[in-house]
Amino acid sequence: HVSTLQFTFVTSLVCQLLVAMNSNLTYLIVTVFITALLNAPVKSLIDSIVMSKLTSEEDKYQFGRMRLWGQLGFGAGSSLVGSLLSLYPADATSKPTSPSTSAPVPSDTPIGKVIETGIEIASESNAETTAICTAKACNTLVEFTRDILGKTRPLKGYEWAFLAHAVLSIPTYFCIRAFRPAKSDAVIDQKKQKQKSVEEKKETNIMDGLRLVSKNSDALVFFFLVFVIGTSSGCIENFAYVRVREVGGTGNNMGILRLVSSLAGAPMFWFSGPLTEALGNDVVLVLSLLAYVTRFLNYAWMKHPYHALPAEALRGITFAMFWSSGSMYAHKISPPGMKATMLLTMNAMYGGLGQSLGAIIGGKLQTNFGTAKTFIYSGIFDFCFVGALVMYLLTRSDRAFT
């Protein structure tokens, strides 16, 4: 898992840098698609690796408490991006570059060197060699930045944001390497794997595992609910700040809103374990959907950018509860050897299918009815779905998702 995580992290980072290189629509579609494809497993693999370390009864609440640091970092980064966009706004009068500039980047250009070095880093397992490769990548990135600053034009706000992301990714990469076991531990692990090789093959058969999950009605309903929540998220996350813009919001306002969202979610990640145990996963899912209803209506009826503060605070609170409890439940119902697969499935239902479909539906509604009515209609749909979910839960003789 660690090697796969390193490869996807580095290659998706390189593709993210490529996104900022050109404003041609076709180029952006291709690079964003490749970036999303490579970045999709990163979060799930990190969650799986972390939860595999939490084996004792005392550790069962630690996942949410670890996850809160990511929430705080998200808020700080979003606030920083908002400030950069306000200080260095994009030139609205500049014309998109011609399609000819979206051709593949030659390997002798600075960004081409970054790509080659990134692939080299991802393929290395030796720490010393990787450190050398990373230093080369940093030097190439500096040369690339100097090339832009010296030969063409000052960087725009969003380009500064991409470069800041690249710089912050360097220590993140070495933190990921900390999950790789030491050589002595690796030898012990290999011996254990050999002893259980036959049993492991039987336990980790993907098709058998999927058949087991398909027979679990709670698991099927759970993944469908994750899909619905992801659809709501795709609609609201893509058009909430469009709505903020419509009422006069700026990049600085958006950064503050994101910061409030992250700060509100931090304590919920810390207490998510005890709260989920007290309320139950079924109640957490119902509350998550009701939170989307409230947020949709809040955005629809807002008149000032900071009227969105309650919706943003609610986002942080409910997402922390939903993601922490959902990840733990998906990990719990996973067949042996399929922990990462179940987390990837959850992430795909939420961030892949759900958010993608939500963005498409939201775009169609926003084009035809406007942003405010899109949120009203989405809130009504979620409210009706909550009613159906509550009816399903009331018909059960026991608690769902336990």
Side-chain angles (χ1 to χ4, degrees), residues 364-374 377:
K364 293 291 185 181
L365 291 174
Q366 199 258 357
T367 300
N368 294 326
F369 303 107
T371 311
K373 287 186 177 180
T374 295
Y377 297 152

Side-chain angles (χ1 to χ4, degrees), residues 23 90-97 153 156 158:
S23 57
D91 183 7
T93 62
S94 61
K95 297 180 180 180
T97 54
R153 53 170 172 72
K156 299 175 183 178
Y158 68 89

Side-chain angles (χ1 to χ4, degrees), residues 148-223:
I148 293 178
L149 292 172
K151 296 184 180 180
T152 55
R153 53 170 172 72
L155 292 180
K156 299 175 183 178
Y158 68 89
E159 291 170 333
W160 278 113
F162 276 96
L163 287 175
H165 171 67
V167 171
L168 292 173
S169 295
I170 295 172
T172 303
Y173 175 80
F174 285 104
C175 288
I176 291 173
R177 286 192 60 84
F179 286 114
R180 186 182 293 277
K183 289 185 178 180
S184 58
D185 295 335
V187 172
I188 295 172
D189 290 341
Q190 286 177 1
K191 290 181 179 179
K192 289 181 179 179
Q193 290 294 330
K194 288 179 181 179
Q195 292 174 356
K196 298 189 291 183
S197 58
V198 177
E199 184 181 354
E200 286 267 324
K201 287 180 181 178
K202 292 181 180 179
E203 290 179 339
T204 58
N205 184 284
I206 293 178
M207 295 307 299
D208 290 342
L210 292 177
R211 288 191 193 98
L212 287 173
V213 173
S214 66
K215 295 177 182 178
N216 185 338
S217 60
D218 273 1
L220 295 177
V221 174
F222 168 76
F223 284 120

Side-chain angles (χ1 to χ4, degrees), residues 182-387:
K183 289 185 178 180
S184 58
D185 295 335
V187 172
I188 295 172
D189 290 341
Q190 286 177 1
K191 290 181 179 179
K192 289 181 179 179
Q193 290 294 330
K194 288 179 181 179
Q195 292 174 356
K196 298 189 291 183
S197 58
V198 177
E199 184 181 354
E200 286 267 324
K201 287 180 181 178
K202 292 181 180 179
E203 290 179 339
T204 58
N205 184 284
I206 293 178
M207 295 307 299
D208 290 342
L210 292 177
R211 288 191 193 98
L212 287 173
V213 173
S214 66
K215 295 177 182 178
N216 185 338
S217 60
D218 273 1
L220 295 177
V221 174
F222 168 76
F223 284 120
F224 181 70
L225 289 175
V226 171
F227 168 73
V228 173
I229 292 173
T231 304
S232 300
S233 175
C235 179
I236 205 167
E237 297 301 334
N238 282 283
F239 298 99
Y241 290 143
V242 174
R243 180 65 180 146
V244 172
R245 284 283 191 188
E246 289 177 353
V247 296
T250 64
N252 195 41
N253 296 141
M254 295 177 191
I256 292 174
L257 290 173
R258 276 300 190 192
L259 181 61
V260 169
S261 173
S262 296
L263 292 177
M268 295 308 295
F269 269 117
W270 186 266
F271 295 109
S272 60
L275 285 174
T276 300
E277 186 175 18
L279 298 175
N281 285 311
D282 49 356
V283 175
V284 169
L285 290 170
V286 170
L287 291 176
S288 297
L289 281 169
L290 285 174
Y292 276 105
V293 174
T294 306
R295 291 181 63 203
F296 277 128
L297 297 180
N298 188 163
Y299 284 122
W301 294 328
M302 64 188 290
K303 301 296 182 183
H304 185 276
Y306 289 135
H307 288 171
L309 283 171
E312 289 296 317
L314 193 59
R315 174 193 181 277
I317 293 171
T318 53
F319 177 77
M321 287 283 292
F322 158 69
W323 195 258
S324 181
S325 62
S327 297
M328 294 300 293
Y329 178 72
H331 192 265
K332 179 181 177 181
I333 64 172
S334 303
M338 292 186 62
K339 306 292 186 184
T341 302
M342 288 297 101
L343 290 171
L344 284 168
T345 302
M346 176 183 165
N347 197 56
M349 297 299 289
Y350 176 81
L353 294 175
Q355 288 190 325
S356 298
L357 182 62
I360 293 171
I361 294 174
K364 293 291 185 181
L365 291 174
Q366 199 258 357
T367 300
N368 294 326
F369 303 107
T371 311
K373 287 186 177 180
T374 295
F375 287 161
I376 292 175
Y377 297 152
S378 299
I380 293 172
F381 171 81
D382 276 358
F383 185 76
C384 294
F385 190 84
V386 168

Side-chain angles (χ1 to χ4, degrees), residues 12-255:
S12 64
L13 171 61
V14 172
C15 290
Q16 286 165 7
L17 291 174
L18 288 174
V19 171
M21 298 305 300
N22 199 314
S23 57
N24 175 263
L25 180 60
T26 303
Y27 175 89
L28 287 174
I29 291 172
V30 173
T31 51
V32 168
F33 173 79
I34 296 174
T35 300
L37 182 68
L38 293 169
N39 194 58
V42 171
K43 186 193 297 182
S44 299
L45 287 172
I46 292 176
D47 288 346
S48 177
I49 292 170
V50 169
M51 281 192 283
S52 67
K53 307 292 184 182
L54 306 177
T55 55
S56 67
E57 184 67 18
E58 293 76 14
D59 289 338
K60 63 181 180 179
Y61 298 145
Q62 296 303 317
F63 174 73
R65 295 175 180 180
M66 293 181 182
R67 185 65 175 77
L68 80 86
W69 297 104
Q71 183 80 352
L72 292 175
F74 179 82
S78 299
S79 181
L80 174 63
V81 168
S83 300
L84 288 172
L85 291 175
S86 297
L87 290 173
Y88 304 99
D91 183 7
T93 62
S94 61
K95 297 180 180 180
T97 54
S98 62
S100 61
T101 58
S102 62
V105 183
S107 61
D108 58 349
T109 62
I111 192 62
K113 294 178 182 177
V114 172
I115 296 173
E116 290 182 349
T117 310
I119 295 173
E120 184 181 358
I121 292 173
S123 63
E124 288 292 344
S125 59
N126 180 272
E128 183 178 356
T129 307
T130 303
I132 295 172
C133 293
T134 306
K136 291 179 181 178
C138 294
N139 292 332
T140 306
L141 185 61
V142 170
E143 292 175 6
F144 168 65
T145 307
R146 288 175 179 171
D147 182 69
I148 293 178
L149 292 172
K151 296 184 180 180
T152 55
R153 53 170 172 72
L155 292 180
K156 299 175 183 178
Y158 68 89
E159 291 170 333
W160 278 113
F162 276 96
L163 287 175
H165 171 67
V167 171
L168 292 173
S169 295
I170 295 172
T172 303
Y173 175 80
F174 285 104
C175 288
I176 291 173
R177 286 192 60 84
F179 286 114
R180 186 182 293 277
K183 289 185 178 180
S184 58
D185 295 335
V187 172
I188 295 172
D189 290 341
Q190 286 177 1
K191 290 181 179 179
K192 289 181 179 179
Q193 290 294 330
K194 288 179 181 179
Q195 292 174 356
K196 298 189 291 183
S197 58
V198 177
E199 184 181 354
E200 286 267 324
K201 287 180 181 178
K202 292 181 180 179
E203 290 179 339
T204 58
N205 184 284
I206 293 178
M207 295 307 299
D208 290 342
L210 292 177
R211 288 191 193 98
L212 287 173
V213 173
S214 66
K215 295 177 182 178
N216 185 338
S217 60
D218 273 1
L220 295 177
V221 174
F222 168 76
F223 284 120
F224 181 70
L225 289 175
V226 171
F227 168 73
V228 173
I229 292 173
T231 304
S232 300
S233 175
C235 179
I236 205 167
E237 297 301 334
N238 282 283
F239 298 99
Y241 290 143
V242 174
R243 180 65 180 146
V244 172
R245 284 283 191 188
E246 289 177 353
V247 296
T250 64
N252 195 41
N253 296 141
M254 295 177 191

